[in-house]
Amino acid sequence: MSAQKKILLVDDSPTVLLMERLLLQDGPYALLSATSGQEAVDTALAERPDLILMDVVMPGMDGFEVCRRLRAEAPTSTTPIILVTTRGGSEHVERGYESGCNDYVTKPFDGNELRAKIESFLGP
Amino acid sequence: MRPDLEMVRAVFRAEATELLAGMEQTFLSIETSAGSEVFERLFRSIHTLKGNALLMGFPAASELAHTVEDLIEKLSARAVPRTAALATLLLQAVDALRLLIGIPNVNERAGVDPGEIQRRLVAAARAGGPPEAASPASSAPAVEGEAPAAERLTEAVPAPARERTLRVGLDRLDRMLDLTGEIAIARGRLTTMLEQPGRYSPQELLAAHRESDRLYQDLQELVMKARLVPIGSAFQPFARTLRDLSTATGKLVRLELSGEEVEVDTAVVELIRDPLTHLVRNAVDHGIEPPQVRKARGKNPMGTLRLHARHEAGGILVEVSDDGAGLDPGRIRDRARAMGLLGPTEERPDDELYQFIFTPGFSTAERLTELSGRGIGLDVVRSNIEALRGAISIDTQAGRGTTLTLRLPLTLSIIEGFLVGVGEETYVLPLESVIECVDLPPTERQPGRSGVLNLRGQPLPFLRLRDHFAMEGPPAERESVVIVGYGQGHQAGFAVDALLGQTQTVIKPLGRLFQHLPGVSGSAILGNGRVALVLDVSTLLRKLLVAPGPTAAA
């Protein structure tokens, strides 16, 4: 049997991390988490996750910057990255694609939609 | 999924509480000191709150947060001037967000109307000027559908019981987990040894037992440490309280904090919040003079209120000081006489007069103001503090100010106890208050609640617990007196049947039914599985000393 797919969850809010964990814990995934941009880059390079679900607004390094850095590194240049944005951030979506992300979800996200998006990248 | 959802809600509330408290502190000083980095943090906080509120199903709070975010962006870009009026509006927005999310406000304030606040925020952001300074009180019932967006904001959220959560560093938790593992190994080893009778000597078994006991104590210490938080989180809200009080009274008050890093049990922080709030209000209302008066007395028109914390011998000490008028012994004497607490010609030293302010119903203020005249007196503050096994003392100088000092135990749940037996029952006295034990002379062994004992030539009032608790059955062959200290060098005793030695006990609060039992502060489970009541020394002694026996007048 192949190894479980790894998903890296990145958010500086414990509420969001916990919520994402609860939505995904029943899926066939191993869940990792990071609470800052820098930690996200370090964890992504060390753990090579199969997908990254990431907040945009974070202290220090924001989600866009993390995307750019990960795209510049060979091991993570093609890792699927889904950005989590909040309503009213249409400019976020644009900047997100510019910085190299693959998709985005908007809060409040729907569990089914989130799982479907993840499955579209990782398979069921 | 229910328990999970409960957990997310608890985390959400804890996070929102923290974010809002942080924003509140920043808004307090936004007119004067706000660099771009401060605004970035503000923006991130409100943005996170906006998203989380949406996730958790608080659309109105999210909407309001969105408006605040908008205004913060404009403030940051200096598209809107940073004024005191705007700071007040943003502080009211924090209150409104608390209301919408259902987080209890530390300082209860006159009706916040989220819809009204929302409208004024939008106006402020649009006009780029200061909002009209309509007071929230004057616009109390203003929910008459103006803007549809504003109407949606008034959906009521029932306030939940206060969530009790605590953040613990992962490294501390990891060390606890390690210790748990070590304890499991030590216990396993002990079990194996016990299963082979005769193979190990009692000394070897005892050594193995002591090893696992030592590990357990390490774990206990770690758990207690994990409960420690800096006391500063109880101090910070007072910056806001003082701002509100200054506005309401026209007095000028500056807040000075020190010792915020002193760590105390998280329960202590929660429980001293109300008493501290009362003392702070009291200091501003009764202590600090209006600016003109201060000027006339040659003082700085701006008064100072100091909150200071430090460690002191196994406990912490919190001081609330003001540089106001100080207590007036003359007025306290008059009031005490009027209340019949003091004879018409009876005189007392000032120090003793000051103690009267802790009497229920005692207030010398000519008028009960809206601020401190709310039916709670210093007597309630004192009983709250004593319920925490703490004590309160007062120090005042006419014209110079007043300091109220709270002494509190570091942790609430574990005490070094001294066990005593009365009849079939076992009671626990806090070891810190026990001074020595002596035999009760046979001549004093008569029924009656209290008496006075001659201790090396000094009178020592004592309370016979057997009588106090109306214990049946014959008294013991010998009775002993445990001498305890209280106040400044005073001593008193408790007569008991047996002295059972010291022990470390975990105090459990009494159930609701017994919560108001005078003289008992909690219960503890003993090593033999029985329950013992933990005695509240100061309350018991007050009973003894307020209603002394015929010979106890000394």
Side-chain angles (χ1 to χ4, degrees):
Chain A
M1 197 181 118
S2 70
Q4 263 186 327
K5 294 277 169 62
K6 272 195 240 177
I7 300 180
L8 172 61
L9 310 173
V10 187
D11 207 302
D12 60 325
S13 163
T15 308
V16 179
L17 277 184
L18 182 60
M19 191 104 169
E20 290 172 348
R21 233 169 222 287
L22 292 176
L23 287 173
L24 300 174
Q25 69 184 3
D26 297 330
Y29 311 118
L31 301 174
L32 307 169
S33 54
T35 55
S36 72
Q38 187 59 54
E39 199 189 333
V41 172
D42 296 345
T43 311
L45 291 174
E47 299 280 341
R48 315 272 175 94
D50 298 286
L51 183 140
I52 299 172
L53 182 66
M54 179 164 59
D55 186 23
V56 174
V57 179
M58 291 185 288
M61 196 189 299
D62 67 15
F64 305 134
E65 183 60 28
V66 176
C67 274
R68 274 190 291 274
R69 297 224 184 163
L70 291 180
R71 289 297 176 244
E73 301 283 339
T76 54
S77 60
T78 58
T79 309
I81 300 178
I82 301 178
L83 283 183
V84 178
T85 68
T86 304
R87 183 197 65 100
S90 56
E91 77 281 8
H92 281 178
V93 174
E94 231 167 86
R95 284 187 61 198
Y97 285 125
E98 275 168 24
S99 64
C101 88
N102 301 72
D103 204 345
Y104 68 96
V105 287
T106 306
K107 281 184 232 172
F109 42 70
D110 173 73
N112 293 327
E113 184 201 337
L114 183 65
R115 281 188 289 264
K117 280 212 165 151
I118 289 173
E119 276 173 23
S120 74
F121 286 103
L122 299 183
Chain B
M1 196 67 184
R2 288 295 307 170
D4 288 349
L5 207 57
E6 278 305 304
M7 188 161 72
V8 188
R9 285 212 180 105
V11 170
F12 165 67
R13 266 192 216 107
E15 190 183 358
T17 305
E18 204 171 290
L19 289 170
L20 285 167
M23 291 193 309
E24 185 170 51
Q25 289 305 311
T26 314
F27 289 150
L28 281 170
S29 57
I30 204 161
E31 310 125 62
T32 48
S33 59
S36 63
E37 159 231 347
V38 171
F39 276 102
E40 272 162 36
R41 204 178 51 233
L42 268 180
F43 172 77
R44 279 197 307 271
S45 298
I46 195 73
H47 186 83
T48 300
L49 193 70
K50 174 175 95 171
N52 291 1
L54 266 181
L55 276 180
M56 302 303 298
F58 293 97
S62 181
E63 181 83 34
L64 184 56
H66 180 69
T67 316
V68 173
E69 181 183 340
D70 211 37
L71 191 54
I72 288 173
E73 279 187 304
K74 292 209 161 100
L75 276 169
S76 171
R78 291 199 181 271
V80 168
R82 301 167 188 178
T83 62
L86 205 53
T88 303
L89 180 58
L90 285 167
L91 286 168
Q92 287 167 346
V94 169
D95 291 340
L97 284 167
R98 286 191 177 122
L99 182 76
L100 290 170
I101 294 171
I103 297 172
N105 241 323
V106 180
N107 312 300
E108 74 283 16
R109 273 174 267 276
V112 192
D113 174 3
E116 171 67 16
I117 305 246
Q118 164 89 349
R119 267 193 298 280
R120 284 166 53 205
L121 283 168
V122 170
R126 196 186 299 133
E132 340 107 57
S135 84
S138 70
S139 59
V143 209
E144 275 97 69
E146 298 221 11
E151 247 186 329
R152 267 187 286 131
L153 287 169
T154 51
E155 62 194 66
V157 178
R162 188 179 288 185
E163 296 290 343
R164 295 170 49 89
T165 56
L166 175 67
R167 278 197 184 190
V168 179
L170 207 52
D171 52 334
R172 271 183 176 171
L173 267 184
D174 284 345
R175 282 211 306 279
M176 286 181 212
L177 197 61
D178 288 348
L179 266 176
T180 316
E182 284 182 48
I183 290 172
I185 293 168
R187 285 181 51 198
R189 186 167 154 250
L190 192 58
T191 308
T192 314
M193 287 169 81
L194 288 167
E195 275 167 357
Q196 304 172 63
R199 172 138 185 225
Y200 296 96
S201 70
Q203 287 77 16
E204 284 174 306
L205 288 172
L206 191 61
H209 169 71
R210 286 212 172 113
E211 169 63 11
S212 85
D213 207 41
R214 187 186 60 78
L215 290 168
Y216 161 73
Q217 272 168 15
D218 288 353
L219 180 62
Q220 186 186 51
E221 199 184 313
L222 267 178
V223 173
M224 295 312 289
K225 274 200 185 131
R227 292 177 55 94
L228 295 183
V229 293
I231 198 166
S233 58
F235 284 177
Q236 269 135 22
F238 291 119
R240 175 73 195 274
T241 311
L242 277 195
R243 188 191 156 105
D244 292 355
L245 286 175
S246 298
T247 316
T249 58
K251 292 178 181 179
L252 303 171
V253 195
R254 196 167 56 91
L255 180 66
E256 232 179 68
L257 301 180
S258 54
E260 296 148 279
E261 69 292 340
V262 168
E263 288 195 321
V264 291
D265 193 284
T266 176
V268 175
V269 168
E270 286 209 356
L271 293 168
I272 64 168
R273 207 166 273 156
D274 287 350
L276 273 185
T277 306
H278 188 79
L279 294 182
V280 165
R281 283 171 176 272
N282 223 49
V284 175
D285 208 25
H286 301 311
I288 294 186
E289 314 93 326
Q292 337 51 290
V293 177
R294 291 181 63 91
K295 234 180 192 161
R297 291 180 181 169
K299 292 164 124 176
N300 184 340
M302 164 99 57
T304 303
L305 186 97
R306 268 183 70 233
L307 289 174
H308 172 67
R310 67 186 152 92
H311 283 285
E312 194 202 61
I316 57 150
L317 201 138
V318 181
E319 288 173 350
V320 181
S321 334
D322 67 65
D323 64 348
L327 293 180
D328 180 345
R331 269 168 61 196
I332 294 176
R333 191 189 306 111
D334 294 346
R335 176 80 180 138
R337 286 199 175 130
M339 285 179 75
L341 298 168
L342 200 63
T345 55
E346 197 181 342
E347 288 296 337
R348 293 271 182 96
D350 288 356
D351 281 359
E352 287 181 28
L353 284 176
Y354 297 145
Q355 297 305 316
F356 283 124
I357 66 169
F358 296 110
T359 314
F362 198 95
S363 172
T364 63
E366 286 112 16
R367 73 221 141 78
L368 289 178
T369 65
E370 184 208 341
L371 299 174
S372 52
R374 293 172 312 144
I376 322 174
L378 284 172
D379 57 312
V380 176
V381 173
R382 177 162 79 174
S383 53
N384 284 351
I385 295 295
E386 283 172 357
L388 304 177
R389 293 188 300 113
I392 184 166
S393 62
I394 189 162
D395 182 28
T396 183
Q397 270 182 296
R400 303 279 297 276
T402 305
T403 298
L404 280 142
T405 305
L406 311 180
R407 282 186 176 73
L408 297 160
L410 263 191
T411 64
L412 286 179
S413 21
I414 294 203
I415 64 162
E416 291 289 336
F418 187 77
L419 295 175
V420 296
V422 185
E424 297 286 295
E425 299 298 324
T426 306
Y427 295 96
V428 183
L429 287 163
L431 187 65
E432 62 201 11
S433 56
V434 175
I435 296 171
E436 64 170 308
C437 303
V438 296
D439 278 344
L440 182 67
T443 49
E444 297 291 342
R445 297 187 52 190
Q446 325 148 7
R449 285 189 155 208
S450 54
V452 175
L453 186 74
N454 179 342
L455 180 75
R456 297 185 281 271
Q458 293 290 317
L460 178 87
F462 72 92
L463 182 72
R464 204 164 176 241
L465 290 183
R466 160 175 293 281
D467 297 321
H468 177 77
F469 289 112
M471 208 77 81
E472 313 221 319
E477 294 276 297
R478 268 176 64 191
E479 286 179 63
S480 304
V481 176
V482 182
I483 299 174
V484 295
Y486 68 95
Q488 294 99 15
H490 296 294
Q491 295 188 354
F494 292 115
V496 300
D497 290 356
L499 306 173
L500 303 172
Q502 66 188 75
T503 180
Q504 211 181 38
T505 51
V506 179
I507 298 192
K508 294 176 181 299
L510 291 170
R512 208 159 24 142
L513 196 55
F514 300 109
Q515 226 156 46
H516 301 292
L517 212 59
V520 177
S521 57
S523 66
I525 311 276
L526 300 177
N528 61 12
R530 293 196 54 186
V531 174
L533 292 179
V534 180
L535 298 180
D536 174 358
V537 171
S538 55
T539 309
L540 282 175
L541 288 182
R542 199 161 332 116
K543 274 190 79 139
L544 171 70
L545 301 169
V546 165
T551 48

